[in-house]
Amino acid sequence: MSIRMPPTLLKLAAKSLLRDQASAIATLEYLPAELFPYLFEMAYCGGCHPQLLKALAQAWPFTVLPLGVLMQSPPDHAPTRAVGLKAMFDAIDVVLAQEVRLRRCKLRVLDLRNTGANFWDMWLRVSTENCSWTEPVTVHSSSPSMEHPLAPLEVFLVLTFDERGQDKFFMHIIQWAQQREGLLHLCCKTLRTSEVPFQRVRKVLDRVRLDCIQDMCESEHPVPAHPEDICSLPGSDEKLFLLEELTEDYEEDGGRLDQVLRCLQTPLDKLCLMFGQRLTHSDLTYLFQCPNLRQLKFLYLCDLSLGDFSEPLRALLEAVAPTLQGLGLDKCGMGDSQVEAILPVLSRCHQFRHFTIFMNNFSVATVEKLLRHTTGLRSLEREVYPIPLEGYRTQGIVNQERLALIQAELTRILRELGQPRTIHLVTKNRIHRKFYKVAFS
């Protein structure tokens, strides 16, 4: 039986203020900062206190207002979100128009992403399920000095294109920000697409700057396993580009990945592509020629058909080998010959920490070659390989006796190489996936 905790004094005070908005607004300048999160959360979730929300934002005593978390609860509650956003935009307009801001107003960032749950949890001590647990957002490096009293505000946004069709919502925010250019900076931290026509994506991309894309990836896409190894490694200032399953319009246009990447004006740190067999030869060729990828740290390619692209893939890895820390080549139609083509360059990726290449079809001999070519990479922490072809029956079912022999053979190889090491072999079955450990210590 759970015990219901009594409300805190701050919560009771906030409820009392909420009953008389006029008095609450008049006293904001004198209220303790600890009361603002309670009052804001109650006013926002109530959906009928726009003037109080506006006043709270104008006197916000913290540098960041993580509104995006509240916009998710309850999910897709359009009326509440509309009232809240309008109040925020009205408040920002007032702040931007002020020659001298209110004494206690420290607002510099309006965060519309689903991040910052720990901010609300710290102040409200409430459960924040379905929210992303990340460190408090830091101001982007492009931001002006925070000591300047009238430094431009920043609005953080994730562009997500999927079946929910939020294009109008994005365009409204983008147009609003463009009308205040010079006073406000719209920073699109992450781009996600899923099963949408490319022209729909491009229509929005043409209206927004993508040069400040920054890693804030709450990965919700169906990646085979552990996408966080590539997409969500530490580093709040690292730039990420993520595309997932553009529809046939993309391929029929001959591939337009080059046009999308040319929107970026600064080098990427992380690149994640999941097109479902729609990556073209020209796309992969452009990737190793793209100057914005020369400092790439993490490359994740999933569910692509790379069987005929051995040479451009090798050239891409050659281009990024000096900085590459993580590589995922999962479910890419790679066999023995395709892996053979990239073996030499793998041995030169001395910054390697994560390497996954499961759901591909190659032999025990190829796994052995991979182990030998990567044995000198001292920073390598995580390795995931497919169960070799010899470990399956004809129906694609794992033969446990053969698998045990394969594990024993790979353990012998690791012992021979003389370096403490743990790898995992993974089954092909996406739904009932199993991991088998092979280790030498």
Side-chain angles (χ1 to χ4, degrees):
M1 180 176 177
S2 62
I3 299 176
R4 185 172 182 178
M5 298 298 292
T8 65
L9 290 177
L10 286 172
K11 189 172 184 179
L12 290 173
K15 285 185 175 180
S16 177
L17 286 168
L18 205 60
R19 297 190 191 104
D20 187 350
Q21 291 190 67
S23 297
I25 293 172
T27 59
L28 286 181
E29 188 72 8
Y30 311 101
L31 294 180
E34 294 83 356
L35 194 54
F36 273 69
Y38 281 94
L39 197 53
F40 188 95
E41 189 266 348
M42 291 180 185
Y44 179 86
C45 293
C48 56
H49 304 92
Q51 294 305 315
L52 180 56
L53 285 174
K54 180 178 175 180
L56 283 166
Q58 290 174 239
W60 193 246
F62 309 100
T63 56
V64 179
L65 203 171
L67 182 64
V69 172
L70 299 182
M71 291 168 61
Q72 308 301 316
S73 181
D76 297 326
H77 193 261
T80 299
R81 185 170 68 176
V83 170
L85 275 178
K86 186 178 186 307
M88 291 304 98
F89 291 167
D90 289 346
I92 288 177
D93 282 339
V94 172
V95 171
L96 294 177
Q98 292 172 341
E99 293 185 5
V100 179
R101 292 183 187 168
L102 294 178
R103 176 180 58 85
R104 74 180 312 171
C105 181
K106 297 180 181 178
L107 182 62
R108 294 293 179 269
V109 174
L110 175 62
D111 195 346
L112 300 181
R113 304 169 298 170
N114 187 20
T115 63
N118 54 348
F119 171 90
W120 298 107
D121 186 68
M122 178 180 68
W123 289 108
L124 307 181
R125 298 291 189 268
V126 295
S127 172
T128 49
E129 295 180 7
N130 301 322
C131 297
S132 300
W133 287 87
T134 59
E135 290 301 313
V137 64
T138 54
V139 177
H140 188 251
S141 57
S142 66
S143 300
S145 170
M146 290 297 99
E147 296 179 358
H148 194 293
L150 295 179
L153 294 173
E154 290 194 311
V155 177
F156 289 173
L157 177 69
V158 170
L159 290 174
T160 302
F161 299 92
D162 53 26
E163 68 280 358
R164 292 169 60 189
Q166 302 181 80
D167 303 26
K168 291 183 179 179
F169 170 70
F170 293 142
M171 290 300 293
H172 175 73
I173 296 177
I174 292 168
Q175 291 171 357
W176 172 80
Q178 287 177 334
Q179 293 169 1
R180 291 148 184 85
E181 187 173 359
L183 297 174
L184 180 143
H185 176 211
L186 179 63
C187 196
C188 297
K189 313 302 290 181
T190 303
L191 167 67
R192 294 197 189 97
T193 71
S194 178
E195 299 181 346
V196 296
F198 180 69
Q199 292 303 320
R200 176 179 153 193
V201 178
R202 184 177 180 180
K203 183 178 179 180
V204 177
L205 293 185
D206 287 342
R207 303 293 300 272
V208 68
R209 290 177 54 188
L210 295 180
D211 58 318
C212 61
I213 287 181
Q214 198 173 16
D215 179 29
M216 197 59 259
C217 181
E218 303 86 47
S219 185
E220 299 172 351
H221 42 72
V223 181
H226 303 291
E228 63 273 15
D229 291 339
I230 303 300
C231 294
S232 300
L233 290 166
S236 60
D237 290 333
E238 291 171 344
K239 301 172 183 64
L240 166 74
F241 188 80
L242 171 64
L243 286 180
E244 178 192 0
E245 296 182 6
L246 291 181
T247 58
E248 286 82 356
D249 292 359
Y250 178 88
E251 188 174 23
E252 289 173 0
D253 280 347
R256 289 293 181 269
L257 184 60
D258 58 335
Q259 294 185 14
V260 177
L261 289 176
R262 284 194 180 101
C263 295
L264 306 173
Q265 300 176 15
T266 55
L268 287 176
D269 289 318
K270 302 179 183 180
L271 178 65
C272 184
L273 299 176
M274 290 166 282
F275 283 84
Q277 299 185 355
R278 294 190 177 95
L279 193 68
T280 67
H281 191 281
S282 62
D283 286 331
L284 207 56
T285 300
Y286 176 75
L287 287 180
F288 74 79
Q289 297 173 343
C290 178
N292 280 335
L293 300 184
R294 294 305 171 91
Q295 300 176 29
L296 206 62
K297 295 180 182 178
F298 301 97
L299 175 64
Y300 189 72
L301 306 177
C302 173
D303 199 9
L304 306 177
S305 181
L306 299 181
D308 298 327
F309 300 157
S310 297
E311 181 55 30
L313 177 60
R314 182 201 60 77
L316 171 60
L317 295 179
E318 289 275 6
V320 301
T323 59
L324 198 62
Q325 298 178 21
L327 175 64
L329 297 172
D330 307 324
K331 198 183 178 186
C332 286
M334 300 182 70
D336 293 317
S337 61
Q338 287 77 29
V339 177
E340 289 265 4
I342 63 172
L343 285 175
V345 67
L346 290 179
S347 64
R348 295 195 291 276
C349 296
H350 296 291
Q351 307 297 321
F352 248 14
R353 293 164 50 198
H354 302 256
F355 178 45
T356 68
I357 191 170
F358 56 88
M359 292 190 75
N360 290 294
N361 301 301
F362 44 81
S363 63
V364 174
T366 297
V367 176
E368 177 181 349
K369 291 176 182 178
L370 282 166
L371 295 179
R372 293 187 181 280
H373 276 79
T374 54
T375 191
L377 306 180
R378 302 301 181 185
S379 299
L380 194 54
E381 301 170 355
R382 178 177 177 80
E383 303 171 67
V384 185
Y385 302 98
I387 291 178
L389 295 174
E390 295 90 337
Y392 288 95
R393 303 182 190 275
T394 53
Q395 300 88 350
I397 301 172
V398 175
N399 185 317
Q400 295 296 332
E401 293 181 359
R402 293 180 190 172
L403 178 58
L405 293 175
I406 291 172
Q407 289 178 279
E409 174 63 13
L410 295 179
T411 301
R412 182 193 66 77
I413 293 170
L414 294 180
R415 185 181 300 111
E416 176 190 325
L417 295 173
Q419 176 185 341
R421 194 169 175 183
T422 298
I423 69 170
H424 287 87
L425 304 178
V426 186
T427 58
K428 295 179 181 179
N429 192 305
R430 181 187 293 267
I431 300 175
H432 303 292
R433 180 170 294 111
K434 291 185 179 180
F435 289 77
Y436 295 86
K437 184 167 75 171
V438 178
F440 167 67
S441 56

